[in-house]
Amino acid sequence: MKLAWLSRAGRSLLVLIVIAALTCQLAFLLPGDPALILLGQESTEAQRAALRSALGLDQDFFTRFLSWAGGVVTGDWGTSFTSDRPVLTEIIERVPATAELVILSQIIALAVTIPLALHSARTPGGTLDRFVSGGTFLVVAIPSFVVGVLLIYIFAVQLGWFPASGYVPLVEDPLDNLYRMVLPVLTLAIAESAVYLRTLRGSAVDALRSPFAYASLVRGATDTQLLWRRILRPAAPTLTALVGINVAVALGGTLLVESLFAIPGLGRLTIAALGARDLPLIQGLVLFAATIIVIFGILADIAVNRIDPRSSRGIA
């Protein structure tokens, strides 16, 4: 078992090294002179030479990679072109807004998904199941930013219940923060709950056809006892792995939702960095997102293993 997890950790570390190497080559993926592309035609040769030196573009790949990787390990992720501030500081300052958005949306999505999926699976083809299936297909077909626009139109423009945009840090005013996060959290939660619901329903239907489900019914278990005590756990591993992946990807930056609701998170920072061609910041954001995905991938594997120990046989 320990060897299997060490192997998993080794593969994850290798993935991070490969991504770091590719990120370090990001400037050379652009056609032409990277310094000219980043600074524009109006720049002077002296300015371009200074930029090449600052980014290490005048060095060979291994020297540049080792220098950048060494800086990453010691906490020096470079300096942003646009803000002239440390890249790591820029990223860390944006994490709370994105993390809050992602965590709250996952809580709402799971709170709605689990009971609906279990009771829908109990009577496949029934009224609830048909209603849930139709609703999830509709939600999956609509892009999340369209859901956000509809929520803004209904709850901000027409009813005036919530603000259309704006963000207040949680530590400054918790109540105002939660009030302003209602619509962006619902936008993400609605989009993710549809996928979660389809996944958990399918697993729960399979679990309900298993011998232990029939045995529980023969022993007199009620529907509530059957679904929540006997079916949820064997049906949960796939949903758990999916949540782990979704959280990791979303923490890397919920681009559209953050832009739509003007939330100062990693998504908006990524869009601003791409627009300004802020190469050091783009490199830092890519590496940060990759690290988060790897970490949450491992945590999801651990959670799935705890729920269903048989799954550990596949880790090698």
Side-chain angles (χ1 to χ4, degrees):
M1 177 67 75
K2 289 182 179 178
L3 287 177
W5 283 108
L6 284 175
S7 174
R8 176 74 168 81
R11 291 201 301 272
S12 299
L13 181 61
L14 180 61
V15 168
L16 286 179
I17 292 174
V18 170
I19 292 175
L22 291 174
T23 303
C24 198
Q25 283 291 91
L26 200 58
F28 292 97
L29 298 180
L30 301 171
D33 181 1
L36 180 62
I37 294 172
L38 292 172
L39 293 177
Q41 294 289 343
E42 65 280 3
S43 60
T44 64
E45 180 54 36
Q47 290 172 323
R48 293 194 288 270
L51 179 62
R52 292 189 197 98
S53 177
L55 294 178
L57 300 180
D58 53 353
Q59 300 172 344
D60 62 86
F61 168 74
F62 288 104
T63 303
R64 189 172 62 258
F65 175 67
L66 291 176
S67 174
W68 184 69
V72 168
V73 172
T74 58
D76 179 10
W77 289 34
T79 302
S80 167
F81 285 165
T82 51
S83 66
D84 199 29
R85 301 176 65 207
V87 167
L88 190 56
T89 302
E90 290 272 11
I91 293 174
I92 290 175
E93 286 180 353
R94 300 299 187 105
V95 169
T98 299
E100 181 187 0
L101 175 62
V102 172
I103 291 171
L104 290 178
S105 66
Q106 296 299 315
I107 292 173
I108 298 297
L110 291 175
V112 173
T113 293
I114 293 174
L116 272 181
L118 291 178
H119 288 279
S120 177
R122 183 69 181 94
T123 55
T127 303
L128 177 63
D129 190 40
R130 291 199 303 273
F131 175 77
V132 168
S133 296
T136 53
F137 280 125
L138 177 65
V139 172
V140 168
I142 301 176
S144 60
F145 72 91
V146 176
V147 174
V149 171
L150 290 174
L151 291 177
I152 289 174
Y153 177 75
I154 295 171
F155 294 104
V157 177
Q158 294 297 320
L159 299 176
W161 289 356
F162 302 102
S165 64
Y167 176 79
V168 174
L170 183 64
V171 294
E172 288 185 10
D173 190 338
L175 290 179
D176 195 25
N177 168 271
L178 294 175
Y179 175 62
R180 292 177 179 277
M181 291 294 280
V182 169
L183 293 186
V185 165
L186 282 179
T187 301
L188 268 187
I190 289 172
E192 290 170 352
S193 62
V195 179
Y196 292 167
L197 209 157
R198 298 297 305 173
T199 302
L200 183 59
R201 178 199 171 278
S203 300
V205 168
D206 291 338
L208 281 164
R209 291 170 179 163
S210 60
F212 67 82
Y214 289 112
S216 296
L217 288 173
V218 169
R219 287 196 293 269
T222 64
D223 272 3
T224 301
Q225 292 170 333
L226 174 68
L227 294 174
W228 290 90
R229 295 182 182 178
R230 303 296 181 191
I231 299 302
L232 179 57
R233 180 163 183 168
T238 305
L239 177 65
T240 304
L242 184 60
V243 171
I245 294 171
N246 272 359
V247 170
V249 173
L251 280 175
T254 49
L255 305 179
L256 295 177
V257 175
E258 289 183 7
S259 297
L260 184 62
F261 292 96
I263 296 175
L266 292 170
R268 287 190 71 192
L269 184 65
T270 302
I271 291 175
L274 289 171
R277 295 184 176 180
D278 191 338
L279 198 56
L281 189 52
I282 294 172
Q283 289 177 331
L285 286 165
V286 171
L287 183 62
F288 180 80
T291 304
I292 292 295
I293 290 173
V294 167
I295 291 173
F296 272 83
I298 293 175
L299 292 177
D301 284 346
I302 293 173
V304 170
N305 184 42
R306 294 295 297 271
I307 295 171
D308 182 7
R310 293 172 299 175
S311 65
S312 62
R313 297 170 189 168
I315 301 174

